[in-house]
């Protein structure tokens, strides 16, 4: 069957509509607008050899089904799977590979993914090459006869490097590699990798999809019947599925994703500009700032996202800067309505060896901001006073 064609031809409601309507009209017995939480783990069979479609909740759960169908439709895929965390989603997809397989992976990868690959999967005989995916020649050079997959983050975390997803997925298809995109940073509101040729899309639903820093979740979307069946089998076999309550909470968050992303992006764009002009800042990383990456981003995405990173002038300023923040919180996550600042060197990327970390550009002066939906003036005001405080305290021994 031509899975590609099926989706391109299908009349698709706009993303905002799909998001706001998740679960609506799906409970005919009561007409519930908010789809109920089905806590039951077991389901009665109508007769021998018959099933309502639900037997046991690890295999399928009605609340989870609504979420899984929603994310599949949003990403333009054939099947969706809800996992107990983003890492559980990655673990499930990685179980498609076998001993001896080699994967090519984005260079400045989410630290937890790097840890899973290097500390767990290498023990099962998988190997990984970390490559700057902006350079197609480097990707070709990293390929081995055992290469079976490519794992893409775009924009990358934390340096916001933009990969031409379509070009890399085309190369992957030619070579017979499975292409996997971690779409956590962009969400299907801004970027739909399956439409650009990817085979699998992953999310940490904990971030923008949930959006309120109150639910841990992961999502997988697959394209094609065979791959969807394989991942479905692994999802059930491994069992790292999302609980019905958390499925409900994630859907509750997703309904407002479009509004939130617009505000995140608007604030991030303005903050990137503000930081770029601040004397205590030495370099800002945001996908709109490098000419070449901006063009790729504009081609494949609707917007630049709500994440940015910047280098403070001196590493010694970091502790005072973080301590001085009053509106932004020094915390280790992203994608929520509240603005958070992360110090990748000791937080998200602490498990990456220092030499590797420095080589990819995650230095001790780098700070990452998950820009929230607060009023812009409160964000610029807070960053400004904290940067000034850091600069003056360290250089003069006194605060501002
Ligand atoms: C947070 C994150 C993950 C891991 O997700 P969890 O829900 O924390 O398990 C994976 N990839 C990216 C890009 C992330 O930001």
């Amino acid at each position: 069957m031509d899975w590609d064609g099926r989706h391109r031809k299908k009349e698709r409601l706009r993303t905002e509509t799909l998001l706001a309507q998740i679960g609506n009209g799906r409970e005919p017995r009561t007409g519930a607008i908010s789809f109920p939480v089905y806590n039951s783990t077991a389901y009665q069979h109508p007769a021998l050899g018959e099933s309502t479609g639900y037997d046991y909740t690890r295999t399928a759960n009605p609340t989870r089904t609504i979420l899984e169908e929603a994310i599949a439709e949003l990403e333009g895929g054939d099947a969706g799977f809800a996992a107990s965390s983003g890492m559980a989603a990655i673990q499930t997809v990685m179980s498609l590979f076998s001993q001896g397989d080699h994967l090519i992976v984005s260079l400045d990868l989410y630290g937890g993914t790097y840890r899973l690959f290097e500390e767990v999967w290498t023990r099962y005989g998988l190997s990984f090459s970390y490559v700057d995916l902006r350079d197609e020649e480097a990707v070709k050079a990293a390929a081995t006869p055992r290469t079976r997959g490519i794992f893409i983050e775009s924009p990358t975390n934390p340096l916001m490097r933009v990969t031409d997803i379509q070009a890399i997925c085309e190369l992957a298809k030619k070579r017979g590699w499975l292409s996997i995109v971690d779409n956590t940073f962009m969400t299907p509101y801004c970027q739909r990798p399956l439409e650009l040729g990817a085979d699998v899309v992953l999310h940490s639903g904990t971030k923008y999809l949930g959006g309120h820093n109150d639910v841990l979740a992961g999502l997988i979307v697959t394209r094609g019947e065979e791959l969807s069946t394989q991942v479905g089998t692994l999802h059930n076999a491994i069992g790292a599925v999302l609980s019905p309550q958390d499925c409900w909470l994630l859907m509750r968050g997703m309904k407002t994703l479009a509004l939130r992303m617009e505000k995140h992006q608007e604030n991030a764009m303005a903050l990137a500009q503000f930081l770029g002009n601040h004397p205590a800042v030495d370099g800002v990383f945001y996908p709109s700032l490098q000419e070449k990456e901006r063009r790729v981003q504009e081609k494949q995405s609707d917007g630049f996202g709500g994440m940015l990173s910047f280098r403070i002038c001196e590493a010694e300023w970091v502790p005072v800067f973080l301590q001085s923040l009053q509106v932004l919180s020094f915390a280790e996550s992203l994608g929520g309505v509240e603005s958070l600042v992360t110090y990748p060197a000791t937080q998200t990327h602490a498990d990456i060896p220092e030499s590797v970390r420095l080589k990819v550009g995650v230095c001790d002066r780098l700070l990452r901001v998950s820009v929230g939906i607060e009023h812009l003036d409160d964000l610029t005001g807070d960053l400004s006073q904290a940067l000034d405080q850091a600069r003056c305290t360290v250089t003069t021994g006194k605060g501002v």
Side-chain angles (χ1 to χ4, degrees), residues 326-349:
Q326 289 164 9
V327 178
L328 293 97
S329 303
F330 172 41
E332 193 163 344
S333 191
L334 64 103
V337 291
E338 306 90 351
S339 292
L340 306 183
V341 177
T342 303
Y343 187 45
T346 65
Q347 294 182 301
T348 51
H349 291 64

Side-chain angles (χ1 to χ4, degrees), residues 366-383:
L366 191 74
L367 289 151
R368 191 188 74 185
V369 186
S370 171
V371 184
I373 64 166
E374 301 93 339
H375 195 288
L376 179 64
D377 295 349
D378 291 331
L379 298 178
T380 50
D382 194 38
L383 283 170

Side-chain angles (χ1 to χ4, degrees), residues 356-372:
V356 178
R357 188 162 59 68
L358 294 176
K359 203 178 96 202
V360 305
V362 184
C363 72
D364 295 341
R365 295 191 290 123
L366 191 74
L367 289 151
R368 191 188 74 185
V369 186
S370 171
V371 184

Side-chain angles (χ1 to χ4, degrees), residues 76-373:
D78 292 302
F81 305 93
S84 51
S85 68
M87 293 318 303
I90 297 172
Q91 174 73 356
T92 302
V93 169
M94 287 305 294
S95 305
L96 287 164
F97 295 98
S98 301
Q99 191 177 15
D101 288 354
H102 169 258
L103 280 92
I104 295 171
V105 181
S106 285
L107 188 60
D108 50 323
L109 193 68
Y110 175 68
T113 308
Y114 179 87
R115 178 177 53 202
L116 178 70
F117 290 176
E118 290 302 309
E119 290 183 19
V120 181
W121 281 104
T122 54
R123 290 193 288 106
Y124 291 81
L126 261 58
S127 62
F128 304 89
S129 296
Y130 300 88
V131 176
D132 186 343
L133 300 185
R134 292 173 300 182
D135 181 356
E136 208 174 316
E137 293 311 309
V139 175
K140 287 178 185 159
T144 78
R146 296 306 306 264
T147 304
R148 295 286 180 272
I150 187 155
F151 191 100
I152 304 167
E153 274 184 31
S154 184
T156 56
N157 178 6
L159 289 169
M160 311 298 149
R161 294 182 172 126
V162 178
T163 294
D164 186 332
I165 297 174
Q166 190 160 22
I168 295 296
C169 288
E170 236 164 65
L171 174 67
K173 186 164 281 172
K174 261 188 231 146
R175 305 274 181 116
W177 307 337
L178 187 77
S179 49
I180 304 161
V181 178
D182 182 332
N183 203 27
T184 301
F185 271 32
M186 292 314 291
T187 82
Y189 179 66
C190 299
Q191 178 170 283
R192 288 180 293 282
L194 298 181
E195 293 175 0
L196 300 168
D199 299 307
V200 182
V201 167
L202 292 166
H203 285 282
S204 167
T206 316
K207 315 296 169 56
Y208 287 107
L209 295 174
H212 296 76
N213 290 315
D214 58 9
V215 56
L216 184 76
L219 294 167
I220 306 164
V221 183
T222 49
R223 200 161 58 118
E225 195 171 12
E226 192 189 341
L227 183 61
S228 300
T229 304
Q230 280 175 336
V231 172
T233 301
L234 290 170
H235 187 233
N236 182 43
I238 294 168
V241 301
L242 192 61
S243 80
Q245 186 67 43
D246 287 344
C247 289
W248 181 87
L249 196 49
L250 183 57
M251 290 190 275
R252 152 72 168 260
M254 285 167 71
K255 284 166 178 268
T256 56
L257 178 70
L259 283 175
R260 288 186 282 109
M261 286 312 287
E262 287 296 337
K263 186 70 175 172
H264 284 300
Q265 302 198 126
E266 187 189 312
N267 277 353
M269 181 79 90
L271 271 196
Q273 210 152 29
F274 162 80
L275 287 166
N277 293 325
H278 199 285
V281 171
D282 170 34
V284 179
F285 303 87
Y286 188 64
S288 71
L289 296 178
Q290 278 95 357
E291 173 62 20
K292 199 171 152 224
E293 301 191 58
R294 182 166 61 76
R295 267 188 279 120
V296 177
Q297 185 71 14
E298 278 172 347
K299 186 182 71 170
Q300 68 189 13
S301 315
D302 302 315
F304 299 98
M307 296 299 299
L308 62 86
S309 295
F310 68 94
R311 287 212 176 104
I312 197 165
C313 286
E314 303 290 340
E316 306 92 86
W317 296 0
V318 170
V320 183
F321 168 75
L322 292 172
Q323 225 160 40
S324 305
L325 291 169
Q326 289 164 9
V327 178
L328 293 97
S329 303
F330 172 41
E332 193 163 344
S333 191
L334 64 103
V337 291
E338 306 90 351
S339 292
L340 306 183
V341 177
T342 303
Y343 187 45
T346 65
Q347 294 182 301
T348 51
H349 291 64
D351 286 312
I352 299 179
E354 191 180 359
S355 58
V356 178
R357 188 162 59 68
L358 294 176
K359 203 178 96 202
V360 305
V362 184
C363 72
D364 295 341
R365 295 191 290 123
L366 191 74
L367 289 151
R368 191 188 74 185
V369 186
S370 171
V371 184
I373 64 166

